Amino acid sequence: MSIEIANESGVTVDEPSIVSAARFALDRMGVSPLAELSVLLVELDVMADLHQRWMDLPGPTDVMAFPMDELDSARRPDAAGLGPALLGDIVLCPAFAKDQAKKAGHSLLDELHLLTVHGVLHLLGYDHAEPAEEREMFTLQNRILGDFRTATAEAERTAAQREADSKLLGAVGLEDSDRPDPTA
């Protein structure tokens, strides 16, 4: 799966973590590993221009998704048997998301993860214009985010344990490379 990210927002963010959230969501949705996605982080004025131009709404917003027109609109990209596809672009505005994160009581990165998953779901054909659609999309979004947080926390615990084990082995004169590989 190819996910390109470009940060033109002027805000320093953990870009690999945003890519991980996108990849996790795409994997959970069964999107082909040959799919391509672009994530762009922009400033407020750029987002306001996009919001006006494409949605005919004034001012900036947090996230916009631009699916590629070449996809078969009768089939969602997460449908079984679909091959490689250029999914489209997700545009995030960290400056706008920062205020939302503060109101929600979580970090900017948590908000950007939420918005990334939200954008992925839009690219896959989900919407929230109608109450039933909103329930479906937001339930799915929350499930994916919860699973992503759990998987991320577990990976961090495993990495911390490996580092602690390596330090202990080094302190007693054993090198990490002297241990047998438990996965072999």
Side-chain angles (χ1 to χ4, degrees), residues 129-143:
E130 299 296 325
E133 292 175 336
E134 182 176 348
R135 274 191 305 281
E136 179 186 19
M137 183 175 180
F138 282 80
T139 298
L140 185 55
Q141 174 181 294
N142 291 337
R143 185 178 318 124

Side-chain angles (χ1 to χ4, degrees), residues 72-156:
D72 177 0
S73 60
R75 283 183 52 164
R76 294 196 338 209
D78 56 341
L82 193 62
L86 183 56
L87 295 176
D89 303 313
I90 297 171
V91 182
L92 304 171
C93 185
F96 192 92
K98 187 176 180 182
D99 291 335
Q100 290 181 163
K102 186 180 245 184
K103 288 176 188 170
H106 55 237
S107 72
L108 173 59
L109 188 58
D110 285 339
E111 186 72 13
L112 292 173
H113 289 156
L114 181 151
L115 297 172
T116 299
V117 171
H118 189 85
V120 164
L121 291 176
H122 273 308
L123 291 179
L124 297 178
Y126 289 87
D127 203 355
H128 46 86
E130 299 296 325
E133 292 175 336
E134 182 176 348
R135 274 191 305 281
E136 179 186 19
M137 183 175 180
F138 282 80
T139 298
L140 185 55
Q141 174 181 294
N142 291 337
R143 185 178 318 124
I144 291 169
L145 279 171
D147 291 349
F148 175 70
R149 288 180 186 125
T150 299
T152 300
E154 181 59 33
E156 289 170 355

Side-chain angles (χ1 to χ4, degrees), residues 4-67:
E4 299 292 325
I5 187 166
N7 188 350
E8 299 174 3
S9 71
V11 177
T12 301
V13 297
D14 183 353
E15 295 166 20
S17 183
I18 294 169
V19 169
S20 292
R23 179 168 282 116
F24 188 89
L26 292 167
D27 286 345
R28 278 297 154 108
M29 296 304 297
V31 174
S32 169
L34 301 175
E36 297 178 22
L37 170 69
S38 171
V39 180
L40 178 63
L41 288 79
V42 298
E43 295 176 336
L44 285 167
D45 60 333
V46 173
M47 185 59 100
D49 180 56
L50 290 171
H51 201 213
Q52 181 67 49
R53 186 178 327 151
W54 294 100
M55 303 296 292
D56 202 24
L57 295 170
T61 190
D62 50 6
V63 59
M64 293 185 73
F66 297 94

